[in-house]
Amino acid sequence: MIKDKIKTSKPQEKSQRARKSEVTRKRILDASAELFGEQGYFATTLRQIAKRAKIDAGSIYYYFDSKDEILDEVMEIGIRAVADAVKEAVDALPDTTTNREKLEAATKAHLNTLLKFNAYTSANIAIFAQVSSEAQNRNRKLRQDYAAYWHELFDAAQKSGEISPTTDLSLVRLFLLGSINWSMQWYDPKKKSIDELALSFCEMMFDGISGANTEC
Amino acid sequence: MIKDKIKTSKPQEKSQRARKSEVTRKRILDASAELFGEQGYFATTLRQIAKRAKIDAGSIYYYFDSKDEILDEVMEIGIRAVADAVKEAVDALPDTTTNREKLEAATKAHLNTLLKFNAYTSANIAIFAQVSSEAQNRNRKLRQDYAAYWHELFDAAQKSGEISPTTDLSLVRLFLLGSINWSMQWYDPKKKSIDELALSFCEMMFDGISGANTEC
Amino acid sequence: MIKDKIKTSKPQEKSQRARKSEVTRKRILDASAELFGEQGYFATTLRQIAKRAKIDAGSIYYYFDSKDEILDEVMEIGIRAVADAVKEAVDALPDTTTNREKLEAATKAHLNTLLKFNAYTSANIAIFAQVSSEAQNRNRKLRQDYAAYWHELFDAAQKSGEISPTTDLSLVRLFLLGSINWSMQWYDPKKKSIDELALSFCEMMFDGISGANTEC
Amino acid sequence: MIKDKIKTSKPQEKSQRARKSEVTRKRILDASAELFGEQGYFATTLRQIAKRAKIDAGSIYYYFDSKDEILDEVMEIGIRAVADAVKEAVDALPDTTTNREKLEAATKAHLNTLLKFNAYTSANIAIFAQVSSEAQNRNRKLRQDYAAYWHELFDAAQKSGEISPTTDLSLVRLFLLGSINWSMQWYDPKKKSIDELALSFCEMMFDGISGANTEC
DNA sequence: AATGAATGAGCGTTCATTCAT
DNA sequence: TATGAATGAACGCTCATTCAT
């Protein structure tokens, strides 16, 4: 809708109007992401979204064609946000970084985005399973791309010998990301920092918890 | 409601009426558990439940006071079901069984209940995060008991030296159960059996994936 | 919906419930027909219908799946009502009746149904042109049947010599029924009785208004 | 609104502004007339009108105070258009023309305006019965003037003996114009030309369809 | 033990309208 | 001269719930 019009205006000098419009649009999306994450998609009403975005419920339809369209955009932003955060974190590391360290950085970034910084990502992870399969499918490509990026990280670690050659990389990825995503349901910032948690996760995954290890 | 009446009747010779009533009641709960698991709590309507239970929507209120009461009972049954299955599986093991083997058996039992046998458990795990905090609280005690049971298993393993003494047992429990529960979102029975999956999870947790291990 | 259930119940002894249900259903249809005729389809709201039918707006959906379904049923009843009234009127005539007299009787019956007796017929004639083409199509078959019946009447009159052999019967039918239907927009019962009006219409159609006729 | 301003500006040299304004205003009216005719008044939204007129929905309010005001103007233009067309057609006839021929010319002109040339007239005839009685009343005076003009034509024909002295002229006028207006609902240009149709109508009205006529 | 009828609050959505720019 | 943003009332419709039978 409006989005298109804004993008076609000259980039260097956006009118005040266009800027205000963008701000309102973002307020709606922000409110939606928060509420979807807190209550789920179906339990969230457009009137709640409108109230939190400080506009009238009818006005939402100036920016979006339907509640479903909001959902799609929230979910898309959510996946892009983690993916970007993770890639950025990994890219920022020096060349000398080991692959295990890269995976640790990725885990930290994912966990921080999910638990602290990004309501869109929380919403995506929280509600994906409960929305219609159509809505899921619209988000699937981005999720697969993100999974593929993690696979590369794991693959590099295996190739360099940091992960045992017999390890099923797909399974271990699902194992790690499952744990991470599930932490949404129990994480309490008062008890442990997010970065510590991420490192603990990686340590468990890499070294295991077996008491026999120490016998080496 | 009816539930109470049934319990006060003599246990050995239930009238046919009472038995039929129980059957209908169970049909409603079964239908609810299935639908909650498939679609979520809010997306499921009482009419859908009634249809699947083959009764009239109004009749549900003969057995339950509200949709929320159905939710509570489904969730309770769900947690009890996994807890029972896990305990039974562990209890059935011979005395010579190692603690690691007990944890493996527990994992298999949890995973089988969740992914194959019990719609109530699937529903519980799938919808817990999306229902009201009141409903969550009503289920919390049972969940804590179940967590405590797992903790015992981990604790015994640590005491026996099978788990390193520095391991944070609470964290590792959340790590393992998070992975397991999350598998609901991606598990495909055509690719791997549930028991194999359970063993893979335990192996990763105990032994880790590090390539350095092999250097011992 | 409900309609089906009622029909499957034993015809000889309808329960009080079923009868009450039928009454409510009819109240909704009656109210709809009246309002559609008075205000048009789009200007009529379900809340107005509910108010006139003395039920709650939501209750309408116990009997009908949508506003459109009400429309369909109102339109169907409307056409059937005129068709039945016209056929009955013609059938009631003795064998000695001329074809012109039959056409006069048909005209009277149509006009009375439209202007006096049947809100459904008024609604049908008034709103047909303004509803969606889908709704029109659903009503089309019945309208064609009704038109065919009129055609038979005209055809018989032409065959018997009461109508000139060169007359285009389709056109004259449209001419007559157009005039009749249009009378909805101007007819005032205080000025002329419906039966008189019908006869005037037929006289004009048969004999024309030309002053030259009298010269015969 | 703007209309007034335009009229007060000097007629011979309208500013370009004023002219552009008039053009836009006409675009809105044209779009409205078309849509009202196609879909009815209530089914037509201001956004549809705006889209067809290639302006923004809000801009309509620069030219009109309300949707109802557009309706009034469309309806007024519609009646004036037929009235003018009919009068022009009759005035163009030579002095030797018979009154019947004048009525035929009037019928042709009305029918052509309605079915071919003028969206405003189509809209007026199509939607008059469905708009509020207030809106109808605002259009009534013009309609009565137009009816009076037809009455004059009929009256002259009766006075000259071309119409039988016993004919109820008001009724015959309603009869003819009803048929004509109703033809909107069934006329198909592929089957018969408008002029032929008009002549057929007049022939039926004047000469009747009776087979007995030929016996003269 | 169960149903059919009905309710009423609230849902997602639409639409005529307003107004600052 | 015209627009983009926003409003708020009302729309068709859904749903958990009630209740007489």
Side-chain angles (χ1 to χ4, degrees):
Chain A
M1 315 192 67
I2 271 305
K3 188 173 46 165
D4 308 320
K5 291 180 195 163
I6 292 168
K7 285 188 175 162
T8 55
S9 68
K10 287 164 233 160
Q12 74 268 32
E13 42 158 331
K14 268 177 195 157
S15 74
Q16 242 183 300
R17 267 199 178 179
R19 223 175 293 121
K20 197 194 168 198
S21 174
E22 267 177 295
V23 167
T24 306
R25 195 169 198 283
K26 185 155 186 313
R27 272 214 319 278
I28 296 170
L29 286 170
D30 285 353
S32 302
E34 288 167 24
L35 287 162
F36 290 167
E38 290 167 19
Q39 313 177 331
Y41 177 68
F42 290 105
T44 299
T45 71
L46 285 172
R47 282 166 178 83
Q48 288 175 328
I49 293 172
K51 195 175 181 186
R52 193 170 292 200
K54 291 182 201 305
I55 53 162
D56 191 279
S59 308
I60 292 177
Y61 284 82
Y62 182 73
Y63 295 95
F64 300 94
D65 282 335
S66 67
K67 192 184 174 189
D68 237 62
E69 204 186 279
I70 301 179
L71 172 66
D72 285 349
E73 194 152 338
V74 164
M75 299 244 289
E76 181 174 335
I77 295 174
I79 271 295
R80 285 194 198 283
V82 235
D84 289 352
V86 167
K87 280 174 200 167
E88 237 172 71
V90 173
D91 288 349
L93 299 171
D95 291 349
T96 55
T97 317
T98 65
N99 287 299
R100 174 165 174 166
E101 282 164 346
K102 284 185 183 172
L103 279 162
E104 284 166 356
T107 303
K108 278 185 192 171
H110 182 112
L111 212 44
N112 272 292
T113 309
L114 181 65
L115 299 179
K116 198 155 91 192
F117 292 126
N118 203 293
Y120 294 84
T121 301
S122 319
N124 184 308
I125 300 301
I127 67 182
F128 184 82
Q130 72 185 260
V131 302
S132 73
S133 50
E134 289 79 28
Q136 290 182 351
N137 286 335
R138 280 177 250 125
N139 197 237
R140 192 144 279 149
K141 175 82 179 63
L142 290 166
R143 284 184 156 235
Q144 286 170 343
D145 290 348
Y146 182 51
Y149 182 76
W150 274 90
H151 197 83
E152 284 172 31
L153 294 177
F154 277 109
D155 198 47
Q158 193 171 44
K159 291 218 168 80
S160 71
E162 288 163 272
I163 290 178
S164 129
T166 58
T167 300
D168 179 336
L169 294 186
S170 291
L171 203 56
V172 83
R173 192 193 74 237
L174 291 164
F175 189 52
L176 178 65
L177 286 172
S179 301
I180 292 179
N181 289 338
W182 195 261
S183 71
M184 277 190 71
Q185 300 206 13
W186 54 263
Y187 177 69
D188 178 355
K190 275 170 267 167
K191 293 195 180 145
K192 204 177 177 92
S193 85
I194 292 173
D195 284 354
E196 281 169 356
L197 182 64
L199 284 183
S200 297
F201 275 178
C202 288
E203 204 183 321
M204 274 190 254
M205 175 178 68
F206 270 100
D207 305 329
I209 61 170
S210 168
N213 279 343
T214 56
E215 289 173 9
C216 282
Chain B
M1 313 197 67
I2 265 301
K3 186 173 46 168
D4 309 320
K5 292 178 199 164
I6 291 167
K7 285 187 176 161
T8 56
S9 69
K10 287 163 236 162
Q12 73 268 34
E13 43 157 328
K14 271 175 192 160
S15 72
Q16 251 184 297
R17 271 208 163 184
R19 222 174 294 124
K20 199 196 166 193
S21 174
E22 265 180 298
V23 168
T24 307
R25 194 168 202 284
K26 183 154 188 314
R27 271 215 319 277
I28 295 170
L29 287 170
D30 285 353
S32 301
E34 287 167 25
L35 288 163
F36 290 168
E38 290 167 18
Q39 312 176 333
Y41 176 68
F42 289 104
T44 299
T45 72
L46 283 176
R47 274 173 177 79
Q48 287 176 328
I49 293 171
K51 194 177 180 185
R52 194 171 291 201
K54 292 185 202 306
I55 54 160
D56 191 280
S59 309
I60 291 178
Y61 284 83
Y62 180 75
Y63 298 95
F64 300 93
D65 281 337
S66 67
K67 193 183 173 189
D68 239 61
E69 205 186 278
I70 301 179
L71 173 66
D72 285 350
E73 195 151 337
V74 165
M75 299 243 291
E76 180 175 335
I77 295 174
I79 271 295
R80 284 194 200 281
V82 235
D84 289 352
V86 167
K87 280 173 201 166
E88 235 171 73
V90 172
D91 288 350
L93 298 172
D95 290 349
T96 55
T97 317
T98 64
N99 287 300
R100 173 164 174 166
E101 281 165 345
K102 286 186 184 173
L103 278 162
E104 285 165 356
T107 303
K108 277 185 194 172
H110 182 111
L111 213 44
N112 272 291
T113 309
L114 180 67
L115 299 179
K116 200 154 91 191
F117 292 125
N118 203 292
Y120 293 84
T121 301
S122 317
N124 184 306
I125 300 303
I127 68 181
F128 184 83
Q130 70 186 261
V131 302
S132 72
S133 50
E134 289 79 24
Q136 289 182 351
N137 286 335
R138 279 177 252 127
N139 196 238
R140 191 145 280 148
K141 174 82 178 64
L142 290 166
R143 285 185 156 232
Q144 285 169 345
D145 292 348
Y146 182 52
Y149 182 77
W150 274 91
H151 198 82
E152 286 171 31
L153 293 178
F154 276 110
D155 199 46
Q158 193 171 44
K159 290 218 166 83
S160 72
E162 287 163 274
I163 290 177
S164 127
T166 57
T167 300
D168 178 337
L169 293 186
S170 291
L171 205 56
V172 82
R173 194 194 73 238
L174 291 164
F175 188 54
L176 178 66
L177 286 172
S179 300
I180 291 178
N181 289 339
W182 195 260
S183 73
M184 278 190 73
Q185 299 205 13
W186 54 263
Y187 178 68
D188 179 356
K190 275 170 267 167
K191 294 197 180 144
K192 207 177 176 94
S193 84
I194 293 174
D195 284 354
E196 281 170 355
L197 183 63
L199 285 183
S200 295
F201 276 178
C202 288
E203 205 185 318
M204 274 190 255
M205 177 178 67
F206 271 100
D207 305 328
I209 61 170
S210 168
N213 280 343
T214 57
E215 289 172 9
C216 283
Chain C
M1 316 192 65
I2 270 306
K3 188 173 45 167
D4 308 320
K5 290 180 196 165
I6 292 168
K7 284 188 177 162
T8 56
S9 69
K10 288 164 234 161
Q12 73 268 31
E13 43 158 329
K14 267 175 194 159
S15 72
Q16 241 183 300
R17 265 199 178 177
R19 222 174 296 121
K20 198 195 168 198
S21 174
E22 269 178 293
V23 168
T24 307
R25 195 170 198 282
K26 184 154 187 314
R27 272 216 316 279
I28 296 169
L29 285 170
D30 285 353
S32 301
E34 287 167 25
L35 287 163
F36 290 167
E38 290 167 20
Q39 312 176 334
Y41 176 69
F42 290 105
T44 299
T45 72
L46 285 172
R47 282 165 178 84
Q48 288 175 330
I49 293 172
K51 195 175 180 185
R52 192 170 293 200
K54 292 183 201 305
I55 53 162
D56 191 278
S59 308
I60 292 177
Y61 285 82
Y62 182 73
Y63 296 95
F64 300 94
D65 282 335
S66 67
K67 191 184 175 189
D68 237 62
E69 204 186 278
I70 300 179
L71 172 66
D72 285 349
E73 195 153 337
V74 165
M75 299 244 290
E76 181 175 334
I77 295 174
I79 271 294
R80 283 194 199 282
V82 235
D84 289 352
V86 166
K87 280 173 201 167
E88 238 172 71
V90 172
D91 287 349
L93 298 172
D95 290 349
T96 54
T97 317
T98 65
N99 288 300
R100 174 164 175 166
E101 282 164 344
K102 285 186 184 172
L103 279 162
E104 285 166 356
T107 303
K108 279 185 192 170
H110 182 114
L111 213 43
N112 271 292
T113 308
L114 181 66
L115 299 180
K116 197 152 92 192
F117 291 126
N118 203 293
Y120 295 84
T121 301
S122 318
N124 184 306
I125 300 301
I127 68 183
F128 184 83
Q130 71 186 260
V131 301
S132 74
S133 50
E134 287 81 25
Q136 290 182 349
N137 286 334
R138 279 177 251 125
N139 197 238
R140 192 144 280 149
K141 174 83 178 63
L142 290 167
R143 285 185 155 233
Q144 285 169 344
D145 291 347
Y146 182 51
Y149 182 77
W150 274 90
H151 197 83
E152 284 172 32
L153 294 178
F154 277 109
D155 198 46
Q158 194 170 43
K159 290 217 167 80
S160 72
E162 288 163 272
I163 290 177
S164 129
T166 57
T167 300
D168 178 337
L169 294 185
S170 291
L171 203 56
V172 83
R173 193 193 74 238
L174 291 163
F175 188 53
L176 179 65
L177 286 172
S179 300
I180 292 179
N181 289 339
W182 194 261
S183 72
M184 278 190 70
Q185 301 205 12
W186 53 262
Y187 177 69
D188 179 356
K190 277 170 266 167
K191 294 197 179 143
K192 205 177 177 91
S193 85
I194 293 174
D195 284 353
E196 281 170 356
L197 183 64
L199 284 183
S200 298
F201 275 178
C202 287
E203 203 184 320
M204 273 189 255
M205 176 179 67
F206 269 100
D207 305 328
I209 60 171
S210 168
N213 279 344
T214 56
E215 289 173 10
C216 281
Chain D
M1 310 198 71
I2 266 302
K3 189 173 45 167
D4 309 320
K5 292 179 199 162
I6 291 168
K7 285 189 175 161
T8 54
S9 69
K10 287 163 234 161
Q12 73 269 34
E13 42 157 331
K14 270 176 193 160
S15 73
Q16 251 184 298
R17 273 206 162 184
R19 221 174 295 124
K20 198 196 168 192
S21 173
E22 265 179 297
V23 168
T24 306
R25 196 168 199 284
K26 183 153 188 312
R27 272 215 318 277
I28 296 170
L29 287 169
D30 285 353
S32 302
E34 287 167 24
L35 288 163
F36 290 167
E38 290 166 18
Q39 313 177 331
Y41 176 68
F42 289 104
T44 299
T45 71
L46 283 176
R47 276 173 176 78
Q48 288 176 327
I49 294 171
K51 194 176 179 184
R52 194 171 291 201
K54 293 184 201 307
I55 54 160
D56 190 280
S59 309
I60 291 178
Y61 284 82
Y62 181 76
Y63 297 96
F64 300 93
D65 282 336
S66 68
K67 193 184 173 189
D68 238 60
E69 204 186 279
I70 301 180
L71 173 66
D72 286 349
E73 194 150 339
V74 165
M75 298 244 290
E76 179 174 335
I77 295 174
I79 271 296
R80 285 195 199 282
V82 235
D84 289 353
V86 167
K87 279 174 202 167
E88 235 172 74
V90 172
D91 288 350
L93 297 171
D95 290 347
T96 54
T97 317
T98 66
N99 286 300
R100 174 165 174 166
E101 282 165 344
K102 285 186 183 172
L103 278 162
E104 285 166 355
T107 303
K108 279 185 192 171
H110 182 112
L111 213 44
N112 272 293
T113 309
L114 180 67
L115 299 179
K116 200 154 91 190
F117 292 126
N118 203 293
Y120 293 84
T121 301
S122 317
N124 184 307
I125 300 302
I127 68 181
F128 184 83
Q130 70 185 261
V131 301
S132 72
S133 50
E134 289 79 26
Q136 289 181 352
N137 286 336
R138 279 177 251 125
N139 196 238
R140 191 144 280 148
K141 174 84 178 61
L142 289 166
R143 284 184 158 234
Q144 285 169 343
D145 291 348
Y146 182 51
Y149 181 77
W150 274 89
H151 197 83
E152 285 172 30
L153 293 179
F154 276 109
D155 197 47
Q158 193 171 43
K159 290 217 168 82
S160 72
E162 287 163 273
I163 290 178
S164 125
T166 58
T167 300
D168 178 336
L169 294 186
S170 291
L171 204 57
V172 83
R173 193 193 74 238
L174 292 163
F175 189 54
L176 178 65
L177 285 173
S179 301
I180 291 179
N181 288 339
W182 194 261
S183 72
M184 276 190 75
Q185 300 205 13
W186 53 262
Y187 178 68
D188 178 357
K190 275 170 266 165
K191 292 194 182 149
K192 207 178 175 93
S193 83
I194 293 174
D195 284 353
E196 280 169 356
L197 183 63
L199 285 183
S200 296
F201 275 177
C202 288
E203 203 183 320
M204 275 189 254
M205 175 177 69
F206 271 100
D207 305 328
I209 62 171
S210 168
N213 281 343
T214 57
E215 289 173 11
C216 283

